[in-house]
Coordinates of all heavy atoms in Angstrom, one line a residue:
M290 N 29.8 104.1 75.1 CA 29.9 102.7 74.7 C 30.7 101.9 75.6 O 31.7 102.3 76.1 CB 30.5 102.6 73.3 CG 29.5 102.1 72.3 SD 29.9 101.8 70.6 CE 31.6 102.2 70.4
K291 N 30.4 100.6 75.8 CA 31.1 99.8 76.8 C 32.4 99.2 76.2 O 33.2 98.8 77.0 CB 30.2 98.7 77.3 CG 29.0 99.2 78.1 CD 28.2 98.1 78.7 CE 27.2 98.7 79.7 NZ 26.4 97.7 80.4
I292 N 32.4 99.2 74.9 CA 33.6 98.6 74.3 C 34.5 99.8 73.7 O 33.9 100.7 73.2 CB 33.2 97.7 73.1 CG1 32.3 96.6 73.5 CG2 34.5 97.1 72.4 CD1 32.9 95.5 74.4
R293 N 35.7 99.7 74.0 CA 36.6 100.8 73.5 C 37.7 100.3 72.6 O 38.0 99.1 72.6 CB 37.3 101.4 74.7 CG 36.4 102.1 75.7 CD 37.2 102.6 76.8 NE 36.3 103.1 77.9 CZ 36.7 103.2 79.2 NH1 37.9 102.8 79.5 NH2 35.9 103.6 80.1
K294 N 38.3 101.2 72.0 CA 39.5 101.0 71.1 C 40.6 100.3 72.0 O 40.8 100.7 73.1 CB 40.0 102.3 70.6 CG 41.1 102.2 69.6 CD 41.6 103.6 69.1 CE 42.9 103.4 68.5 NZ 43.5 104.7 68.1
G295 N 41.1 99.2 71.4 CA 42.2 98.5 72.1 C 41.7 97.3 72.9 O 42.5 96.5 73.3
D296 N 40.4 97.2 73.1 CA 39.8 96.1 73.8 C 40.0 94.8 73.0 O 39.9 94.8 71.8 CB 38.3 96.3 74.1 CG 38.1 97.3 75.2 OD1 39.0 97.6 76.0 OD2 36.9 97.7 75.3
Q297 N 40.1 93.7 73.7 CA 40.0 92.4 73.1 C 38.6 91.9 73.2 O 38.0 92.0 74.3 CB 40.9 91.3 73.8 CG 42.4 91.5 73.5 CD 42.8 91.1 72.1 OE1 42.2 90.3 71.5 NE2 43.9 91.7 71.6
V298 N 38.0 91.5 72.0 CA 36.6 91.1 72.1 C 36.5 89.7 71.5 O 37.3 89.3 70.6 CB 35.7 92.1 71.4 CG1 35.7 93.4 72.2 CG2 36.1 92.3 70.0
L299 N 35.4 89.1 71.8 CA 35.0 87.8 71.3 C 33.7 88.1 70.5 O 32.8 88.7 70.9 CB 34.7 86.8 72.4 CG 34.1 85.4 72.0 CD1 35.1 84.6 71.3 CD2 33.6 84.7 73.3
I300 N 33.7 87.5 69.2 CA 32.5 87.7 68.4 C 31.5 86.6 68.8 O 31.8 85.5 68.8 CB 32.8 87.6 66.9 CG1 34.1 88.4 66.6 CG2 31.6 88.0 66.0 CD1 34.1 89.9 67.0
I301 N 30.2 87.1 69.1 CA 29.2 86.1 69.6 C 28.1 85.9 68.6 O 27.3 85.0 68.8 CB 28.7 86.5 71.0 CG1 28.2 88.0 71.0 CG2 29.7 86.3 72.1 CD1 27.3 88.3 72.2
K302 N 28.1 86.7 67.5 CA 27.0 86.5 66.5 C 27.6 86.6 65.1 O 28.6 87.3 64.9 CB 25.9 87.6 66.7 CG 24.9 87.2 67.8 CD 23.9 88.3 67.9 CE 23.2 88.2 69.2 NZ 22.5 89.5 69.5
G303 N 26.9 86.1 64.2 CA 27.3 86.2 62.8 C 28.3 85.2 62.3 O 28.6 84.3 63.0
K304 N 28.8 85.4 61.1 CA 29.6 84.4 60.5 C 31.0 84.3 61.1 O 31.7 83.3 61.0 CB 29.8 84.7 59.0 CG 30.6 85.9 58.6 CD 30.7 86.1 57.1 CE 31.3 87.4 56.7 NZ 32.7 87.5 56.9
D305 N 31.4 85.3 61.9 CA 32.7 85.3 62.5 C 32.6 84.9 64.0 O 33.5 85.1 64.8 CB 33.4 86.7 62.4 CG 33.8 86.9 61.0 OD1 34.4 86.1 60.4 OD2 33.6 88.0 60.5
R306 N 31.4 84.3 64.4 CA 31.2 83.9 65.7 C 32.4 83.0 66.2 O 32.8 82.1 65.5 CB 29.9 83.2 65.8 CG 29.5 82.8 67.2 CD 28.1 82.5 67.3 NE 27.7 81.7 66.2 CZ 26.7 80.8 66.2 NH1 26.0 80.6 67.3 NH2 26.4 80.1 65.2
G307 N 32.8 83.3 67.4 CA 33.9 82.5 68.0 C 35.3 83.1 67.8 O 36.3 82.7 68.4
K308 N 35.4 84.1 66.8 CA 36.7 84.7 66.6 C 37.0 85.8 67.7 O 36.1 86.3 68.3 CB 36.6 85.5 65.2 CG 37.0 84.6 64.1 CD 37.3 85.5 62.9 CE 37.4 84.7 61.6 NZ 37.4 85.6 60.4
K309 N 38.2 86.0 67.9 CA 38.7 87.0 68.8 C 39.5 88.0 68.1 O 40.2 87.7 67.1 CB 39.5 86.4 69.9 CG 38.8 85.5 70.9 CD 39.7 84.9 71.8 CE 39.0 83.8 72.7 NZ 39.9 83.0 73.5
G310 N 39.4 89.2 68.5 CA 40.2 90.3 67.9 C 40.3 91.5 68.7 O 39.6 91.7 69.7
K311 N 41.1 92.4 68.2 CA 41.3 93.7 68.9 C 40.5 94.8 68.2 O 40.4 94.8 67.0 CB 42.8 94.1 68.8 CG 43.2 95.1 69.8 CD 44.8 95.3 69.7 CE 45.1 96.7 69.3 NZ 46.5 96.8 69.0
V312 N 39.9 95.6 69.1 CA 39.1 96.7 68.5 C 40.0 97.8 68.0 O 40.8 98.3 68.7 CB 38.1 97.3 69.6 CG1 37.4 98.5 69.1 CG2 37.1 96.2 70.1
L313 N 39.8 98.1 66.7 CA 40.7 99.0 66.1 C 40.1 100.4 66.2 O 40.8 101.4 66.2 CB 40.9 98.7 64.6 CG 41.5 97.3 64.3 CD1 41.6 97.1 62.8 CD2 43.0 97.3 64.8
R314 N 38.8 100.5 66.2 CA 38.1 101.8 66.2 C 36.7 101.6 66.7 O 36.1 100.5 66.5 CB 38.0 102.3 64.7 CG 38.5 103.7 64.6 CD 38.3 104.1 63.2 NE 37.5 105.4 63.2 CZ 37.1 106.0 62.1 NH1 37.4 105.6 60.9 NH2 36.4 107.1 62.2
G315 N 36.2 102.6 67.4 CA 34.8 102.6 67.8 C 34.0 103.6 67.1 O 34.5 104.7 66.8
F316 N 32.7 103.3 66.8 CA 31.8 104.3 66.2 C 30.6 104.4 67.1 O 29.5 103.8 66.9 CB 31.4 103.8 64.8 CG 32.5 103.5 63.9 CD1 33.1 102.2 63.9 CD2 33.0 104.5 63.0 CE1 34.1 102.0 63.0 CE2 34.0 104.2 62.2 CZ 34.6 103.0 62.1
P317 N 30.7 105.2 68.1 CA 29.6 105.4 69.2 C 28.3 105.7 68.6 O 27.2 105.3 69.1 CB 30.1 106.5 70.1 CG 31.6 106.5 69.9 CD 31.8 106.1 68.4
K318 N 28.2 106.6 67.6 CA 26.9 107.0 67.0 C 26.2 105.8 66.4 O 25.0 105.7 66.5 CB 27.2 108.1 65.9 CG 27.1 109.5 66.5 CD 27.2 110.5 65.4 CE 27.7 111.8 66.0 NZ 28.2 112.7 64.9
E319 N 27.0 105.0 65.7 CA 26.4 103.8 65.0 C 26.3 102.6 65.9 O 25.7 101.6 65.5 CB 27.1 103.4 63.7 CG 27.0 104.4 62.6 CD 28.2 105.5 62.6 OE1 29.0 105.5 63.6 OE2 28.2 106.2 61.7
M320 N 26.9 102.7 67.1 CA 27.0 101.6 68.0 C 27.7 100.4 67.4 O 27.3 99.3 67.5 CB 25.6 101.1 68.5 CG 25.0 102.2 69.4 SD 25.9 102.6 70.9 CE 25.6 101.1 71.9
K321 N 28.8 100.7 66.7 CA 29.6 99.7 66.0 C 31.0 99.8 66.3 O 31.5 100.9 66.8 CB 29.4 99.9 64.5 CG 28.1 99.4 63.9 CD 28.1 99.6 62.4 CE 26.8 98.9 61.8 NZ 26.7 99.1 60.4
V322 N 31.7 98.7 66.1 CA 33.2 98.7 66.3 C 33.8 98.0 65.1 O 33.2 97.1 64.5 CB 33.6 97.9 67.6 CG1 33.3 98.8 68.9 CG2 32.9 96.6 67.7
L323 N 35.1 98.4 64.9 CA 35.9 97.8 63.9 C 36.8 96.8 64.6 O 37.6 97.3 65.4 CB 36.6 98.9 63.1 CG 37.3 98.5 61.8 CD1 36.3 98.0 60.8 CD2 38.1 99.6 61.3
V324 N 36.7 95.5 64.3 CA 37.6 94.6 64.9 C 38.6 93.9 64.0 O 38.2 93.5 62.8 CB 36.7 93.4 65.6 CG1 37.6 92.5 66.4 CG2 35.6 94.0 66.5
E325 N 39.8 93.9 64.4 CA 40.9 93.4 63.6 C 40.6 91.9 63.1 O 40.3 91.0 63.9 CB 42.1 93.3 64.4 CG 43.4 93.1 63.7 CD 44.6 93.3 64.6 OE1 44.5 92.9 65.8 OE2 45.6 93.8 64.2
G326 N 40.6 91.7 61.8 CA 40.4 90.4 61.2 C 39.0 89.9 61.2 O 38.8 88.7 60.9
V327 N 38.0 90.7 61.5 CA 36.6 90.2 61.6 C 35.7 91.0 60.7 O 35.9 92.2 60.4 CB 36.1 90.4 63.1 CG1 34.6 90.2 63.2 CG2 36.9 89.5 64.0
N328 N 34.8 90.3 60.1 CA 33.8 90.8 59.1 C 34.6 91.4 57.9 O 34.4 92.6 57.5 CB 32.9 91.9 59.8 CG 31.7 92.2 59.0 OD1 31.3 91.3 58.2 ND2 31.1 93.3 59.1
I329 N 35.4 90.6 57.4 CA 36.2 91.0 56.2 C 35.4 91.1 55.0 O 34.7 90.2 54.6 CB 37.4 90.0 56.0 CG1 38.3 89.9 57.2 CG2 38.2 90.3 54.7 CD1 39.1 91.1 57.5
K330 N 35.5 92.2 54.3 CA 34.8 92.4 53.0 C 35.9 92.5 52.0 O 36.9 93.1 52.1 CB 34.0 93.7 53.1 CG 33.0 93.8 54.2 CD 31.7 93.1 53.8 CE 30.6 93.3 54.8 NZ 29.7 92.3 54.9
K331 N 35.5 91.9 50.8 CA 36.4 92.0 49.7 C 36.0 93.2 48.9 O 34.9 93.4 48.5 CB 36.4 90.7 48.9 CG 37.1 89.6 49.6 CD 37.3 88.5 48.6 CE 38.3 87.5 49.3 NZ 37.8 86.1 49.4
K332 N 37.0 94.0 48.6 CA 36.7 95.2 47.7 C 37.6 95.1 46.5 O 38.7 94.7 46.5 CB 37.1 96.5 48.5 CG 36.0 96.9 49.4 CD 36.2 98.3 49.9 CE 35.1 98.8 50.8 NZ 35.4 100.1 51.5
H333 N 36.9 95.4 45.4 CA 37.6 95.4 44.2 C 38.2 96.8 43.9 O 37.5 97.8 44.0 CB 36.7 95.0 43.0 CG 36.2 93.6 43.2 ND1 36.8 92.6 42.5 CD2 35.2 93.1 44.0 CE1 36.1 91.5 42.9 NE2 35.2 91.8 43.7
R334 N 39.5 96.8 43.7 CA 40.1 98.1 43.5 C 40.5 98.2 42.0 O 41.2 97.3 41.5 CB 41.3 98.2 44.4 CG 42.0 99.5 44.3 CD 42.9 99.7 45.5 NE 42.2 100.1 46.7 CZ 42.7 100.2 47.9 NH1 44.0 99.8 48.0 NH2 42.0 100.5 48.9
R335 N 40.1 99.3 41.4 CA 40.4 99.5 40.0 C 41.9 99.9 39.9 O 42.4 100.5 40.8 CB 39.6 100.6 39.4 CG 38.1 100.1 39.1 CD 37.3 101.3 38.7 NE 35.9 100.9 38.5 CZ 35.5 100.3 37.3 NH1 36.4 100.2 36.3 NH2 34.3 100.0 37.2
P336 N 42.5 99.6 38.7 CA 43.8 100.0 38.5 C 43.9 101.6 38.5 O 43.0 102.2 38.0 CB 44.2 99.5 37.2 CG 43.0 99.0 36.5 CD 42.0 98.8 37.6
T337 N 44.9 102.1 39.2 CA 45.0 103.6 39.2 C 45.9 104.1 38.2 O 45.9 105.2 37.8 CB 45.4 104.0 40.6 OG1 46.6 103.3 41.0 CG2 44.3 103.8 41.6
R338 N 46.8 103.2 37.8 CA 47.8 103.7 36.7 C 47.7 102.7 35.6 O 47.3 101.6 35.7 CB 49.2 103.6 37.3 CG 49.6 104.9 38.0 CD 51.0 104.7 38.7 NE 50.9 103.8 39.8 CZ 51.9 103.4 40.5 NH1 53.1 103.9 40.2 NH2 51.8 102.5 41.5
A339 N 48.1 103.2 34.4 CA 48.1 102.4 33.2 C 49.1 101.2 33.4 O 50.2 101.3 34.0 CB 48.5 103.2 32.0
G340 N 48.7 100.0 33.0 CA 49.6 98.8 33.1 C 49.4 98.1 34.4 O 49.9 97.0 34.6
E341 N 48.7 98.7 35.4 CA 48.5 98.1 36.7 C 47.2 97.2 36.6 O 46.3 97.5 35.9 CB 48.3 99.2 37.7 CG 48.9 98.9 39.0 CD 48.7 100.1 40.0 OE1 47.6 100.6 40.0 OE2 49.7 100.5 40.6
K342 N 47.3 96.1 37.4 CA 46.1 95.3 37.4 C 45.1 95.7 38.6 O 45.6 96.3 39.6 CB 46.5 93.8 37.7 CG 47.0 93.1 36.5 CD 47.3 91.7 36.9 CE 47.9 90.9 35.7 NZ 48.5 89.7 36.1
G343 N 43.9 95.4 38.3 CA 42.9 95.7 39.4 C 43.2 94.6 40.5 O 43.6 93.5 40.3
Q344 N 42.9 95.0 41.7 CA 43.1 94.1 42.8 C 41.9 93.9 43.7 O 41.0 94.7 43.7 CB 44.2 94.8 43.8 CG 45.6 94.8 43.2 CD 46.5 95.4 44.2 OE1 46.2 96.4 44.9 NE2 47.7 94.9 44.3
I345 N 41.9 92.8 44.4 CA 40.9 92.6 45.4 C 41.6 92.8 46.7 O 42.5 92.1 47.1 CB 40.3 91.2 45.3 CG1 39.6 91.0 43.9 CG2 39.3 90.9 46.4 CD1 39.1 89.6 43.6
V346 N 41.1 93.7 47.5 CA 41.7 94.0 48.8 C 40.7 93.6 49.9 O 39.5 93.7 49.7 CB 42.1 95.4 49.0 CG1 43.3 95.8 48.2 CG2 41.0 96.4 48.7
E347 N 41.2 93.1 51.0 CA 40.3 92.7 52.1 C 40.4 93.7 53.2 O 41.4 94.0 53.7 CB 40.8 91.3 52.6 CG 40.6 90.2 51.5 CD 40.9 88.8 52.1 OE1 41.6 88.7 53.1 OE2 40.4 87.9 51.4
V348 N 39.2 94.2 53.5 CA 39.1 95.2 54.5 C 38.1 94.9 55.5 O 37.0 94.4 55.2 CB 38.8 96.7 54.0 CG1 40.0 97.2 53.2 CG2 37.6 96.6 53.1
P349 N 38.4 95.1 56.8 CA 37.4 94.8 57.8 C 36.3 95.8 57.8 O 36.5 97.0 57.6 CB 38.1 94.8 59.2 CG 39.4 95.6 58.9 CD 39.6 95.5 57.4
A350 N 35.0 95.4 58.0 CA 33.9 96.3 58.1 C 33.4 96.3 59.6 O 33.5 95.3 60.3 CB 32.8 95.9 57.2
P351 N 32.9 97.5 60.0 CA 32.4 97.6 61.4 C 31.2 96.6 61.7 O 30.4 96.3 60.8 CB 32.0 99.0 61.6 CG 32.6 99.8 60.4 CD 32.7 98.8 59.3
I352 N 31.2 96.1 62.9 CA 30.0 95.3 63.3 C 29.4 95.9 64.6 O 30.0 96.7 65.3 CB 30.5 93.8 63.6 CG1 31.6 93.8 64.7 CG2 30.9 93.1 62.4 CD1 31.9 92.4 65.2
Y353 N 28.2 95.5 64.9 CA 27.5 96.0 66.0 C 28.1 95.6 67.3 O 28.5 94.4 67.5 CB 26.0 95.6 66.0 CG 25.2 96.4 65.0 CD1 24.8 95.8 63.8 CD2 24.8 97.7 65.3 CE1 24.1 96.6 62.9 CE2 24.1 98.5 64.4 CZ 23.8 97.9 63.2 OH 23.1 98.6 62.3
V354 N 28.1 96.5 68.3 CA 28.7 96.3 69.6 C 27.9 95.1 70.3 O 28.5 94.3 71.0 CB 28.6 97.5 70.5 CG1 29.0 97.3 71.9 CG2 29.4 98.6 69.9
S355 N 26.7 95.0 70.0 CA 25.9 93.9 70.6 C 26.3 92.5 70.1 O 25.9 91.5 70.7 CB 24.4 94.1 70.3 OG 24.1 94.2 68.9
N356 N 27.1 92.5 69.1 CA 27.6 91.2 68.6 C 28.9 90.8 69.1 O 29.5 89.7 68.7 CB 27.7 91.2 67.0 CG 26.3 91.3 66.4 OD1 25.3 91.2 67.0 ND2 26.3 91.5 65.1
V357 N 29.4 91.6 70.0 CA 30.7 91.2 70.6 C 30.6 91.2 72.1 O 29.8 91.9 72.7 CB 31.9 92.2 70.2 CG1 31.9 92.3 68.7 CG2 31.7 93.6 70.8
K358 N 31.6 90.5 72.7 CA 31.7 90.5 74.2 C 33.1 90.8 74.5 O 34.0 90.4 73.9 CB 31.4 89.1 74.7 CG 30.3 89.0 75.7 CD 29.9 87.6 76.1 CE 28.9 87.7 77.2 NZ 28.6 86.4 77.7
L359 N 33.3 91.6 75.5 CA 34.6 92.0 76.0 C 35.3 90.8 76.6 O 34.7 90.1 77.4 CB 34.5 93.2 76.9 CG 35.8 93.7 77.5 CD1 36.6 94.5 76.4 CD2 35.6 94.6 78.7
I360 N 36.6 90.7 76.3 CA 37.4 89.7 77.0 C 38.1 90.4 78.1 O 38.9 91.3 77.8 CB 38.3 89.0 76.0 CG1 37.6 88.2 75.0 CG2 39.3 88.0 76.8 CD1 38.4 87.6 73.8
C361 N 37.9 90.0 79.3 CA 38.5 90.7 80.4 C 40.0 90.5 80.4 O 40.5 89.4 80.4 CB 37.9 90.2 81.7 SG 38.7 90.8 83.2
P362 N 40.8 91.6 80.5 CA 42.2 91.4 80.5 C 42.8 90.8 81.8 O 43.9 90.4 81.9 CB 42.8 92.8 80.2 CG 41.6 93.8 80.6 CD 40.4 93.0 80.4
K363 N 41.9 90.9 82.8 CA 42.4 90.4 84.1 C 42.1 88.9 84.3 O 43.0 88.2 84.8 CB 41.6 91.2 85.2 CG 41.9 92.7 85.2 CD 43.2 93.0 85.9 CE 43.7 94.5 85.6 NZ 42.8 95.5 86.0
C364 N 40.9 88.4 83.9 CA 40.7 87.0 84.1 C 40.6 86.2 82.8 O 40.5 85.0 82.8 CB 39.4 86.8 84.9 SG 37.9 87.4 84.1
G365 N 40.7 87.0 81.7 CA 40.7 86.3 80.4 C 39.4 85.7 79.9 O 39.4 85.0 78.9
K366 N 38.3 86.0 80.6 CA 37.0 85.4 80.2 C 36.2 86.4 79.5 O 36.2 87.6 79.8 CB 36.3 84.9 81.4 CG 36.9 83.7 82.0 CD 36.2 83.4 83.3 CE 36.9 82.3 84.1 NZ 36.6 82.3 85.5
P367 N 35.4 86.0 78.5 CA 34.4 86.9 77.9 C 33.4 87.3 79.0 O 32.9 86.5 79.7 CB 33.7 86.1 76.8 CG 34.3 84.7 76.9 CD 35.3 84.6 78.0
T368 N 33.1 88.6 79.0 CA 32.3 89.0 80.1 C 31.4 90.2 79.7 O 31.6 90.8 78.7 CB 33.2 89.5 81.3 OG1 32.4 89.9 82.4 CG2 34.1 90.7 80.9
R369 N 30.4 90.5 80.6 CA 29.7 91.7 80.4 C 30.4 92.8 81.2 O 31.2 92.5 82.1 CB 28.3 91.5 80.9 CG 27.4 90.7 80.0 CD 26.0 90.7 80.3 NE 25.7 90.2 81.7 CZ 24.9 90.8 82.5 NH1 24.3 91.8 82.2 NH2 24.8 90.2 83.7
V370 N 30.1 94.0 80.8 CA 30.8 95.1 81.4 C 29.9 95.8 82.4 O 28.7 96.1 82.1 CB 31.3 96.2 80.4 CG1 32.0 97.4 81.0 CG2 32.2 95.5 79.4
G371 N 30.4 96.1 83.6 CA 29.6 96.8 84.6 C 30.3 98.1 84.9 O 31.4 98.4 84.4
Y372 N 29.7 99.0 85.6 CA 30.3 100.2 86.0 C 30.4 100.4 87.5 O 29.5 100.0 88.2 CB 29.6 101.4 85.4 CG 29.8 101.5 83.9 CD1 28.8 101.1 83.0 CD2 31.0 102.1 83.4 CE1 29.0 101.2 81.6 CE2 31.2 102.2 82.0 CZ 30.2 101.8 81.1 OH 30.4 101.9 79.8
K373 N 31.5 101.0 87.9 CA 31.6 101.4 89.3 C 31.8 102.9 89.3 O 32.6 103.4 88.6 CB 32.8 100.7 89.9 CG 33.0 100.9 91.4 CD 34.1 100.0 91.9 CE 35.4 100.7 91.9 NZ 36.5 99.9 92.4
V374 N 30.9 103.5 90.0 CA 31.0 105.0 90.0 C 31.4 105.5 91.4 O 30.9 105.1 92.4 CB 29.6 105.6 89.7 CG1 29.7 107.1 89.6 CG2 29.1 105.1 88.3
T375 N 32.5 106.3 91.4 CA 32.9 106.9 92.6 C 32.8 108.4 92.5 O 32.4 108.9 91.4 CB 34.4 106.5 92.9 OG1 35.2 107.1 91.9 CG2 34.6 105.0 92.9
E376 N 33.1 109.1 93.5 CA 33.0 110.6 93.4 C 34.0 111.1 92.4 O 33.7 112.1 91.7 CB 33.4 111.2 94.8 CG 32.2 111.1 95.8 CD 32.6 111.6 97.2 OE1 33.6 112.3 97.2 OE2 31.9 111.3 98.1
K377 N 35.1 110.4 92.2 CA 36.1 111.0 91.3 C 35.9 110.5 89.8 O 36.1 111.2 88.9 CB 37.5 110.5 91.7 CG 38.0 111.3 92.9 CD 39.3 110.8 93.3 CE 39.7 111.3 94.7 NZ 40.7 110.4 95.4
A378 N 35.5 109.3 89.6 CA 35.4 108.8 88.3 C 34.5 107.6 88.1 O 33.9 107.1 89.1 CB 36.8 108.3 87.8
K379 N 34.3 107.2 86.9 CA 33.5 106.0 86.6 C 34.4 105.0 86.0 O 35.2 105.2 85.1 CB 32.5 106.5 85.5 CG 31.4 105.5 85.2 CD 30.3 106.3 84.4 CE 29.6 105.4 83.4 NZ 28.7 106.1 82.6
Y380 N 34.4 103.8 86.6 CA 35.3 102.7 86.1 C 34.4 101.7 85.4 O 33.3 101.4 85.8 CB 36.0 102.1 87.3 CG 36.8 103.0 88.1 CD1 36.3 103.5 89.3 CD2 38.1 103.4 87.7 CE1 37.1 104.3 90.1 CE2 38.9 104.2 88.5 CZ 38.4 104.7 89.7 OH 39.1 105.5 90.4
R381 N 35.1 101.0 84.5 CA 34.5 99.8 83.9 C 34.9 98.6 84.8 O 36.1 98.5 85.1 CB 34.9 99.5 82.5 CG 34.4 100.5 81.5 CD 34.6 100.1 80.1 NE 36.0 99.7 79.8 CZ 36.4 99.1 78.7 NH1 35.6 98.9 77.7 NH2 37.7 98.8 78.5
I382 N 34.0 97.7 85.1 CA 34.4 96.5 85.8 C 34.0 95.3 85.1 O 33.0 95.3 84.4 CB 33.9 96.5 87.3 CG1 32.4 96.7 87.4 CG2 34.7 97.6 88.1 CD1 31.8 96.3 88.7
C383 N 34.7 94.2 85.3 CA 34.4 92.9 84.8 C 33.3 92.3 85.7 O 33.5 92.2 86.9 CB 35.6 92.1 84.8 SG 35.3 90.3 84.4
K384 N 32.2 91.8 85.1 CA 31.2 91.2 85.9 C 31.6 89.8 86.4 O 30.9 89.3 87.3 CB 29.9 91.1 85.0 CG 29.3 92.5 84.7 CD 27.9 92.6 85.4 CE 27.3 93.9 85.0 NZ 26.0 94.1 85.6
K385 N 32.6 89.2 85.8 CA 33.0 87.9 86.2 C 33.9 88.0 87.4 O 33.7 87.3 88.4 CB 33.8 87.2 85.1 CG 32.8 86.7 84.0 CD 32.7 85.2 84.0 CE 31.5 84.8 83.1 NZ 31.7 84.8 81.7
C386 N 35.0 88.8 87.3 CA 35.9 88.8 88.4 C 35.9 90.1 89.3 O 36.5 90.2 90.3 CB 37.4 88.6 87.9 SG 38.0 89.9 86.9
G387 N 35.1 91.1 88.8 CA 35.0 92.3 89.6 C 36.1 93.3 89.5 O 36.1 94.3 90.1
E388 N 37.1 92.9 88.7 CA 38.3 93.8 88.5 C 38.0 95.0 87.6 O 37.1 94.9 86.7 CB 39.5 93.0 87.9 CG 40.1 92.0 88.9 CD 40.9 92.6 90.0 OE1 41.5 93.7 89.7 OE2 41.0 92.0 91.0
E389 N 38.7 96.0 87.9 CA 38.6 97.2 87.0 C 39.2 96.9 85.7 O 40.3 96.3 85.6 CB 39.4 98.3 87.7 CG 38.9 99.7 87.6 CD 39.7 100.6 88.5 OE1 39.5 100.7 89.7 OE2 40.7 101.1 87.9
I390 N 38.6 97.4 84.6 CA 39.2 97.2 83.3 C 39.1 98.5 82.5 O 38.5 99.4 82.8 CB 38.5 96.0 82.5 CG1 37.0 96.1 82.6 CG2 39.0 94.7 82.9 CD1 36.2 95.1 81.9
Ligands
ZN151 ZN1 37.5 89.6 84.7

C-alpha cells in the first residue's frame, strides 16, 4: 500500500472531505486505513456494571485508501506517491517535489 501508518493524509472523498489526519493503522488486505478523527462512528455501549449508564462512544472507522491523498512531509502538499527503485531498496517519492518520503 502506498499509505502507511504515521502518514499525514487529506481526505478527498466522502463526508469528511477536506479533513486532514494521521494514519493510525493500515489494513492492506482491505485496502483501508484508519485515520485519526475521520469517519467517526457512534457506538452505543451498554453498561457493564450495575448502576452504570450506557454510553455513546465515538470511534473512527477505516476508510478506503483511494479516498485519501498523502500529504508530503517535505513540501506539505497533497500528492500522489511514486516509487524510486534502486539496487538496494524501493523508496516512496512525492510526485510534486520529487523528494523521498
Ligand atoms: Zn513533496
Side-chain angles (χ1 to χ4, degrees):
M290 249 184 358
K291 290 186 173 180
I292 307 287
R293 294 178 192 159
K294 186 180 164 186
D296 284 345
Q297 285 289 332
V298 293
L299 174 72
I300 313 306
I301 53 168
K302 278 182 200 162
K304 69 177 170 76
D305 289 314
R306 186 161 43 147
K308 272 194 191 172
K309 288 174 189 171
K311 196 171 122 191
V312 175
L313 300 175
R314 235 185 119 178
F316 302 89
K318 272 187 201 159
E319 290 95 353
M320 292 302 282
K321 283 181 173 180
V322 285
L323 192 64
V324 185
E325 196 173 33
V327 170
N328 199 25
I329 299 294
K330 302 276 187 208
K331 287 194 168 123
K332 277 193 181 170
H333 295 261
R334 184 165 281 171
R335 286 173 180 277
T337 49
R338 273 175 293 178
E341 219 177 43
K342 277 184 186 168
Q344 288 179 323
I345 296 172
V346 288
E347 296 188 337
V348 288
I352 56 169
Y353 284 103
V354 174
S355 58
N356 293 352
V357 307
K358 232 174 180 187
L359 180 72
I360 297 170
C361 172
K363 300 279 165 62
C364 66
K366 289 176 189 158
T368 182
R369 287 192 298 137
V370 178
Y372 286 103
K373 187 171 89 181
V374 183
T375 66
E376 283 176 15
K377 284 177 195 159
K379 192 167 145 186
Y380 302 101
R381 291 194 308 175
I382 55 162
C383 167
K384 290 244 182 179
K385 287 252 165 74
C386 66
E388 290 285 331
E389 219 174 272
I390 41 179

